[in-house]
Amino acid sequence: MTTDSTCWNFKLLAQHDLQGFGGMGEGMSISLTKDGRRIIWLAHESAPKNFTGVDVTDPRKPQVVVQTDLPEAYMRSNSLEVSGDIMAVAYQTQKKGQKHAGFELFDISNPEKPRSISFTDCSGPNSRGVHQLWFCDGEYVHMAAGSDDFESTHPLDDQFYRCFDVRNPSKPVEAGRWWMPGTRVGDSAPPPKRLASRDMGFRAHNTNVYKERPDRLYLGYIDGGMFILDIADKANPKPISHWNNAPPYGGFMHTVLPLFKRNLLVITDESTVDAAKDWPKLIWVVDARDEQNLLPIATCPLPPVDAYASRGGRFGAHNIHENPSSPTAWQSDEIIFGTFFNGGLRAYDLTNPFQPKEVAAFVPPPPKGTPVGAVQLNDVFVDERKIVYTVDRHTGGLYILETDF
Amino acid sequence: MQQLFPSPNAGAFGRRQTRERGARIPVTVLTGFLGSGKTTLLKRFLEMPEGYGTAVVVNEFGAVGIDDALLRSSADQTMLLGNGCLCCTTRTDLQNTLRQLVVERERGQIPDFRRVVIETSGLADPSPILQTFATDRALGELFHVETVITCADAVTGPDTLDWSAEARKQAILADLLVITKTDLADDTKSAALSEKLRALNPRAAIERAVAGDLDPALLTGAVAPTQDRSLFVAETAHSDGIGSFVMTWDKPLLWIAFARTMETLIALRGSDLLRAKGFLHIDGALGPVLVQFVQHLAHPPVELDRWPDDQRGSRLVLITRHIAEDTVRNLFAAIAALPRP
């Protein structure tokens, strides 16, 4: 007998299919309303839905309070972040040159009726707009974005780091940008050498900035690896260090999470190919005592690839809970929560960073209607109550869990 | 090496845990003499909602696994160790079986399980099983023995305890004693058995079960037995030279002094230190520190992230053979009196 569901040291409190639109992206953030409710905001992975707000005040009884539509079918939101009563939502189009590429700010003080404050256009002949954004301080939105004035040396290298000052949210102003040398036409540096294994592009992914170090950007750059940038002067970001595991690994570096109290970085790859054909995609633990000399010291153990590869969809690392500097986010320098598509949600104890230990796993059964035959857990967020939220990429919607370890 | 990256939330004993087992898989060791009703008890447990997700490891002495056949219908996963007594040659089998369970669960080859019950052969001395979890580092990180339950039947139990050293050992090492078949024995016999068990193991609560009917939470160690163990703290001695006693301290203990004392005790008399369990108030620790010793072996201490209530203080239960309580007390006192390094 075989089984494809696991619930170890987690307790499932609720699942919500989000009214039949349960294909979720990698934007998860929580706001608190003035009347004491707790709303989790979720970006959809693809059209037609833009974002959904779910009342999770009682995590056992999640209730959708709002679900919005995108203006076009050829685009997706994918990423969002909340700071206070303002939510920033990313918009990425399928092809370059399409309109609605950019990001939008909403006033979510009345969660039933989010009100658009501004839309910032990032469209252009060479731009697909914004794939990911980061917004924790209420002042700056950091993002992986294209721009109408940016022509990349390779078609896959269209998104780079951009920062917008949104202190006046009705009129965001670009404060700075940075791209990997050689990826823009006109750069003096030569274009980077493409990965032979699978070329996924040299472009920005996650753009994390924390209140502990507002002068540092922790930047995942897909096939370009990762960078730490000095952004004390936002108009002139300066690279401090660079680390890449590809080659020989398969590229697509995604997220860089600093554990400030321990001088460690937790870095994720993303699996982007079904049936684990791009295995191994891992969570790396990196010694960052000297931020100019980053050294990988461990990876988080994955379940056996041959047990998961054929279950359907992707298998491998993707998003982790990123300790965002927000009062509604759980913070930990020891426990890492990560999603692994059909490998589910897993928690690791990094007390000994040389030997990360898996302490909990949640692999739900294939959600109803999934086109790939298995769950594809895509993102995870943990609130300050240590309630864990994770989403499926296709149909499963939102899963809410308690930890039991 | 890990001190290169000190963790602000970890203490001297690693990450503070919300419970002693941390993230490890809980194990119930179910022991008891032949025919004492272990299988009936287990079968009832597996039929209850609390028994869902239990992997059963059955240790049979003899060629035919009768108990396994009885259990397979209701257990999610039953592993049979067919080659005799767990405490003797088949400890490796137990180790391999437990590892195999984890690997197969991870691979999706067996249903997810949340708990393991090891049903020992009636002839087994449970202490080597407990030792296994302390000696096998990989197993110790995966599994945690939460409770040891010993069944004794009211009909033959009193006699068995008289003639069998193994049966006495099983009773002495138990966290919970279960008197079975009370419907088949008269009250005098049940009372006699209860008295004998109490004399052997004054710390463990004694419960009665007819036809395997027992609060399932007792089998998982999820609730403390109804009797207050502290009422029965007393030095006991048996014909086997086995005794148990409890040491308590009101003031916080220095870890270095406690550890040194136990190291000395283990070095000199480890084979006679059958089991020790401590709930300690260690100087500098935020929560209680839980320690366990089985003969020469010490489990890694676990610090909890909080005290369960306002009570503070340390408590160490020792089960020893031919070691007098005074000897241990004097050792603690002598080492505590040494100048601090």
Side-chain angles (χ1 to χ4, degrees):
Chain A
M1 180 179 172
T2 60
T3 179
D4 52 11
S5 65
T6 300
C7 191
W8 173 242
N9 286 337
F10 280 119
K11 205 178 287 175
L12 180 64
L13 301 178
Q15 180 194 4
H16 199 300
D17 72 356
L18 306 177
Q19 305 177 153
F21 295 95
M24 308 313 292
E26 45 191 347
M28 306 178 77
S29 199
I30 282 182
S31 67
L32 298 176
T33 64
K34 290 185 177 58
D35 59 0
R37 288 179 295 158
R38 174 180 297 259
I39 311 293
I40 188 162
W41 299 91
L42 306 167
H44 287 257
E45 199 274 338
S46 54
K49 296 300 174 190
N50 186 353
F51 57 82
T52 296
V54 185
D55 184 335
V56 290
T57 313
D58 179 351
R60 288 172 180 80
K61 292 179 186 163
Q63 292 177 313
V64 171
V65 295
V66 67
Q67 190 167 63
T68 64
D69 292 296
L70 288 163
E72 300 284 355
Y74 56 66
M75 60 188 288
R76 61 170 171 154
S77 49
N78 189 58
S79 175
L80 59 74
E81 288 282 0
V82 170
S83 182
D85 281 338
I86 297 180
M87 177 165 71
V89 181
Y91 295 137
Q92 176 175 285
T93 55
Q94 280 175 0
K95 293 177 184 164
K96 294 171 184 173
Q98 292 175 325
K99 59 181 181 175
H100 299 300
F103 72 95
E104 189 166 10
L105 299 180
F106 291 88
D107 175 350
I108 52 165
S109 54
N110 179 358
E112 280 78 8
K113 291 183 181 167
R115 183 180 62 81
S116 178
I117 303 170
S118 62
F119 169 75
T120 302
D121 190 352
C122 299
S123 69
N126 300 303
S127 173
R128 291 177 296 152
V130 183
H131 181 74
Q132 174 277 348
L133 54 75
W134 182 264
F135 179 45
C136 289
D137 61 1
E139 298 189 342
Y140 294 93
V141 181
H142 307 269
M143 63 188 73
S147 173
D148 63 346
D149 61 355
F150 187 94
E151 186 183 353
S152 56
T153 50
H154 188 281
L156 291 176
D157 302 351
D158 57 329
Q159 286 165 328
F160 55 99
Y161 166 64
R162 300 183 74 184
C163 173
F164 281 81
D165 180 346
V166 297
R167 284 176 288 188
N168 177 356
S170 58
K171 203 173 178 186
V173 180
E174 184 165 6
R177 57 169 63 183
W178 184 88
W179 59 91
M180 186 173 165
T183 57
R184 186 180 189 181
V185 171
D187 280 355
S188 56
K193 190 181 173 196
R194 318 307 294 184
L195 287 194
S197 53
R198 186 174 276 105
D199 185 358
M200 299 303 290
F202 289 76
R203 62 180 191 275
H205 202 287
N206 274 25
T207 55
N208 295 18
V209 179
Y210 294 86
K211 71 173 182 202
E212 290 91 337
R213 286 304 302 266
D215 59 340
R216 289 290 181 271
L217 168 71
Y218 297 90
L219 178 64
Y221 220 80
I222 303 196
D223 289 355
M226 59 73 65
F227 294 87
I228 300 177
L229 297 185
D230 180 344
I231 56 164
D233 176 4
K234 289 187 174 52
N236 293 293
K238 296 180 199 65
I240 289 173
S241 56
H242 174 224
W243 176 67
N244 197 357
N245 58 31
Y249 286 85
F252 219 109
M253 208 169 273
H254 189 279
T255 302
V256 183
L257 164 65
L259 303 181
F260 289 106
K261 292 173 186 159
R262 305 184 65 198
N263 294 317
L264 291 166
L265 300 178
V266 178
I267 298 176
T268 72
D269 304 329
E270 178 184 345
S271 168
T272 56
V273 189
D274 285 356
K277 286 186 178 146
D278 56 354
W279 180 89
K281 295 295 181 150
L282 298 163
I283 295 178
W284 302 77
V285 183
V286 172
D287 178 341
R289 285 175 296 163
D290 179 347
E291 67 174 347
Q292 293 184 305
N293 186 25
L294 304 176
L295 291 167
I297 57 172
T299 62
C300 293
L302 280 183
V305 60
D306 55 344
Y308 282 81
S310 61
R311 288 187 181 193
R314 305 173 179 181
F315 167 68
H318 189 196
N319 279 293
I320 49 178
H321 175 66
E322 295 166 88
N323 291 346
S325 310
S326 154
T328 53
W330 189 63
Q331 311 285 334
S332 177
D333 281 45
E334 292 168 321
I335 301 292
I336 298 297
F337 291 89
T339 50
F340 295 83
F341 297 109
N342 73 20
L345 165 74
R346 286 163 196 276
Y348 297 95
D349 181 349
L350 262 58
T351 304
N352 177 357
F354 293 95
Q355 292 179 325
K357 268 199 307 197
E358 185 182 293
V359 289
F362 172 64
V363 185
K368 197 177 165 190
T370 179
V372 298
V375 77
Q376 294 280 278
L377 292 185
N378 206 28
D379 196 5
V380 56
F381 182 88
V382 187
D383 76 14
E384 84 284 9
R385 305 175 301 180
K386 213 179 171 187
I387 298 293
V388 182
Y389 308 85
T390 184
V391 288
D392 181 52
R393 191 163 176 264
H394 292 299
T395 59
L398 174 66
Y399 299 80
I400 306 176
L401 305 112
E402 241 173 21
T403 60
D404 184 28
F405 59 85
Chain B
M1 287 286 278
Q2 57 185 301
Q3 54 270 41
L4 294 175
F5 304 96
S7 174
N9 300 314
F13 309 101
R15 188 170 69 87
R16 295 185 179 95
Q17 308 285 342
T18 54
R19 59 186 174 204
E20 186 175 9
R21 81 169 169 89
R24 293 175 290 178
I25 300 165
V27 175
T28 298
V29 177
L30 182 58
T31 183
F33 212 63
L34 292 168
S36 64
K38 300 186 295 290
T39 305
T40 308
L41 199 69
L42 181 53
K43 201 160 183 293
R44 277 301 300 274
F45 173 67
L46 295 172
E47 287 163 359
M48 297 182 199
E50 291 82 353
Y52 174 78
T54 299
V56 179
V57 178
V58 181
N59 171 224
E60 270 302 295
F61 191 80
V64 185
I66 299 168
D67 281 0
D68 176 58
L70 281 175
L71 289 168
R72 194 173 288 278
S73 58
S74 54
D76 291 307
Q77 179 63 22
T78 305
M79 309 291 283
L80 179 67
L81 301 178
N83 291 323
C85 184
L86 265 183
C87 63
C88 312
T89 55
T90 57
R91 267 175 62 198
T92 314
D93 281 359
L94 176 65
Q95 287 163 284
N96 290 341
T97 300
L98 291 170
R99 280 198 204 98
Q100 191 187 339
L101 275 175
V102 172
V103 169
E104 290 185 358
R105 177 176 76 167
E106 197 55 87
R107 303 181 70 86
Q109 291 164 339
I110 58 170
D112 192 18
F113 64 89
R114 299 165 187 180
R115 164 170 302 279
V116 172
V117 175
I118 300 173
E119 184 193 348
T120 73
S121 149
L123 299 177
D125 171 357
S127 52
I129 299 173
L130 303 179
Q131 266 185 303
T132 300
F133 291 95
T135 48
D136 185 324
R137 192 174 150 198
L139 273 194
E141 287 197 354
L142 288 169
F143 294 93
H144 171 71
V145 177
E146 211 144 60
T147 188
V148 177
I149 299 171
T150 297
C151 294
D153 77 88
V155 182
T156 62
D159 290 344
T160 308
L161 287 172
D162 283 343
W163 65 261
S164 166
E166 285 87 0
R168 289 194 292 274
K169 196 91 174 276
Q170 289 173 352
I172 287 162
L173 289 171
D175 295 307
L176 172 68
L177 293 158
V178 180
I179 299 181
T180 61
K181 302 185 184 176
T182 48
D183 52 331
L184 302 179
D186 58 42
D187 288 350
T188 322
K189 274 206 160 180
S190 293
L193 177 59
S194 186
E195 203 172 305
K196 283 195 174 190
L197 291 171
R198 170 80 64 242
L200 285 164
N201 185 345
R203 300 161 299 103
I206 300 177
E207 299 281 339
R208 285 177 167 72
V210 175
D213 195 9
L214 187 72
D215 178 358
L218 290 168
L219 268 93
T220 64
V223 295
T226 48
Q227 289 160 292
D228 182 356
R229 297 180 196 192
S230 61
L231 292 175
F232 302 102
V233 171
E235 185 170 3
T236 56
H238 319 293
S239 54
D240 307 300
I242 295 173
S244 72
F245 51 92
V246 180
M247 301 186 63
T248 58
W249 293 268
D250 293 333
K251 289 184 180 167
L253 296 167
L254 278 182
W255 174 253
I256 190 167
F258 178 83
R260 191 62 51 82
T261 308
M262 291 308 294
E263 283 163 16
T264 307
L265 189 59
I266 284 169
L268 298 174
R269 302 293 300 273
S271 56
D272 292 323
L273 179 66
L274 302 187
R275 199 177 178 197
K277 281 177 90 167
F279 186 88
L280 308 176
H281 185 189
I282 297 294
D283 189 37
L286 285 186
V289 176
L290 310 179
V291 293
Q292 283 206 51
F293 304 86
V294 182
Q295 296 188 334
H296 292 94
L297 305 161
H299 288 260
V302 173
E303 182 182 350
L304 300 187
D305 60 359
R306 69 197 67 180
W307 287 86
D309 51 37
D310 293 339
Q311 298 285 320
R312 296 291 180 275
S314 300
R315 176 182 171 84
L316 179 70
V317 178
L318 297 106
I319 303 171
T320 59
R321 181 167 44 209
H322 298 303
I323 305 178
E325 181 175 350
D326 280 352
T327 309
V328 181
R329 287 192 186 284
N330 291 340
L331 184 62
F332 268 100
I335 291 180
L338 292 173
R340 293 185 193 186

